[in-house]
Amino acid sequence: MTGPSRQRMWSAVVPAALLVLTLILTGCQAGQPRPPSSGRPVTPPSIDPAVPTVHFTAQGDVGLGTGARQVLDTIASLRPQLNLGLGDYSYRAGIEQEFCDMVTDKLGTDFPYQLVTGNHESDGHDGDIANFVKCLPNRLPGLQGEYGTQWYVDYPEQDPLVRFIMVSPGITFHGGNTLNYSQNSRRWNWTARALDGAKSRNIPWTVVGMHTPCLSVGRYDCQAGQDFTNMLIRKKADLVLTGHEHLYQRSHQLGGGTGCPILVPDAFSGDCITDSDASMVEGEGTVFATVGTGGVGLYDVRDDDSEAGYFASWSGGNRDPALGTLDVTATADRLSARFVPAEGYTFTDSFDIRRKKPLQR
């Protein structure tokens, strides 16, 4: 091939090659953040941008293993506004910074990963809550109380939709001291006032977080305390979130009344259930959810437990095992929650609580 023929060939080939190269380079450029490579893309809940909404996740009992990283990837893919840590983080002293680095690497350095202590870091033996608070500090404005131990915050700060109340009943601290949440104690009254204050401010939803549950189909008895648990029901907390049991369990809506003056652990009374389906009405009772599925090994659940009748759904080492997170959205009229499993797991659960009528705000 000579002269003009060769020139005509190159005049056709070169532009085409440049076009292909341009398309390749364009495809390699950074665009929208991608889901983590080790995580499973999860479709976030459908949120109307015109409707004020709070979107948060919650889980406890995390560790630093593969499971913890999978759960953090799941949280990242959901893109919540904040996360509630329900206690038990590193499970080893001296590596608190490593745990914090794992969280910030997955969720970002300024992400509100909000803490309350579990039993593994409260007394310093398997970590120290004071060190976790330093490397994962409070990121929410207006917080009241002692962050990491007992605090509440209204979110968002202006026209809040949720009051988050985080407490530490049943937890032993340095020197073997257990914080006093007995009836009419200072911490009991603080919690009761925080719940009452949300109602007086017409904040639509109250969410209580703490490490220890009372009711359970797992290993433990009522470490949170019977009286304290009944106070939460009597004050009409909408949702109570716990860890400690390495499993997921979600109660029916529970409330007091003529047939159920108090809820008694290690027993069952159908009169304490105010709603047994997955769509409930605000003010009729309290939903308890244990989300000890943040990454460490799972405990078995017991179908024959005396408290099993209080629960609508559960998952454990011997029954639909799943690590994952609770994913919650709240508007002025509705609180919706679903359990989102980490990659490789399939168990799910969902429920919602709706207001009878809109709040006058």
Side-chain angles (χ1 to χ4, degrees):
M1 187 179 297
T2 61
S5 297
R6 181 174 295 173
Q7 290 176 358
R8 284 195 297 271
M9 179 191 75
W10 282 108
S11 66
V13 170
V14 170
L18 290 172
L19 176 61
V20 170
L21 181 60
T22 300
L23 291 172
I24 292 172
L25 292 174
T26 302
C28 292
Q29 295 198 0
Q32 293 297 317
R34 300 177 182 178
S37 59
S38 61
R40 174 174 53 81
V42 179
T43 302
S46 179
I47 297 175
D48 184 346
V51 177
T53 303
V54 172
H55 178 202
F56 68 95
T57 49
Q59 70 299 127
D61 307 276
V62 184
L64 283 102
T66 300
R69 297 174 190 276
Q70 288 178 317
V71 173
L72 286 168
D73 284 340
T74 302
I75 297 168
S77 69
L78 291 167
R79 299 179 182 176
Q81 295 161 306
L82 65 120
N83 181 82
L84 300 180
L86 300 174
D88 285 5
Y89 301 115
S90 65
Y91 287 88
R92 208 172 87 206
I95 58 170
E96 294 92 337
Q97 186 65 54
E98 183 180 342
F99 177 88
C100 297
D101 290 344
M102 176 183 71
V103 170
T104 55
D105 179 62
K106 296 288 188 180
L107 302 180
T109 55
D110 295 325
F111 178 79
Y113 190 93
Q114 299 293 117
L115 302 177
V116 75
T117 189
N119 60 292
H120 276 277
E121 55 273 341
S122 57
D123 62 2
H125 285 102
D126 294 323
D128 195 316
I129 188 60
N131 293 331
F132 287 110
V133 164
K134 289 178 183 176
C135 56
L136 287 172
N138 168 52
R139 301 289 185 186
L140 301 179
L143 182 141
Q144 303 292 316
E146 183 184 355
Y147 179 64
T149 304
Q150 177 177 286
W151 55 271
Y152 76 81
V153 70
D154 300 333
Y155 191 87
E157 189 176 17
Q158 301 298 322
D159 297 321
L161 295 172
V162 181
R163 174 167 287 189
F164 296 105
I165 304 169
M166 306 291 276
V167 290
S168 299
I171 299 290
T172 301
F173 285 78
H174 291 274
N177 296 316
T178 301
L179 300 186
N180 183 9
Y181 282 89
S182 64
Q183 189 166 356
N184 294 324
S185 66
R186 180 171 60 87
R187 293 181 181 274
W188 163 295
N189 290 331
W190 183 95
T191 309
R193 286 195 302 270
L195 287 162
D196 289 341
K199 302 296 183 184
S200 67
R201 287 196 63 192
N202 284 330
I203 298 173
W205 306 104
T206 50
V207 174
V208 177
M210 54 193 188
H211 185 61
T212 59
C214 180
L215 302 175
S216 182
V217 292
R219 295 183 176 185
Y220 299 116
D221 58 11
C222 182
Q223 294 187 11
Q226 176 180 329
D227 291 340
F228 188 77
T229 301
N230 277 284
M231 183 270 285
L232 299 179
I233 294 173
R234 190 166 59 253
K235 294 292 184 180
K236 299 186 183 298
D238 296 300
L239 178 62
V240 176
L241 302 173
T242 61
H244 198 42
E245 294 278 20
H246 299 181
L247 49 81
Y248 174 81
Q249 56 188 4
R250 190 260 301 176
S251 77
H252 299 296
Q253 195 175 35
L254 306 180
T258 305
C260 178
I262 61 169
L263 187 145
V264 180
D266 299 322
F268 173 72
S269 171
D271 290 332
C272 295
I273 297 175
T274 56
D275 199 324
S276 60
D277 61 27
S279 185
M280 294 162 272
V281 176
E282 185 273 337
E284 297 298 318
T286 300
V287 176
F288 294 83
T290 298
V291 197
T293 53
V296 295
L298 297 167
Y299 295 164
D300 288 348
V301 294
R302 297 181 297 156
D303 294 5
D304 61 349
D305 191 281
S306 58
E307 298 168 352
Y310 287 126
F311 288 94
S313 179
W314 58 68
S315 160
N318 61 335
R319 172 84 172 270
D320 298 324
L323 299 176
T325 184
L326 195 68
D327 181 42
V328 187
T329 58
T331 66
D333 300 323
R334 179 177 177 180
L335 186 148
S336 300
R338 59 180 183 149
F339 180 84
V340 179
E343 182 181 19
Y345 301 96
T346 59
F347 170 82
T348 60
D349 179 47
S350 62
F351 61 96
D352 63 55
I353 308 171
R354 299 172 184 265
R355 301 197 70 84
K356 292 179 183 177
K357 57 184 180 180
L359 275 176
Q360 299 299 316
R361 306 188 71 192

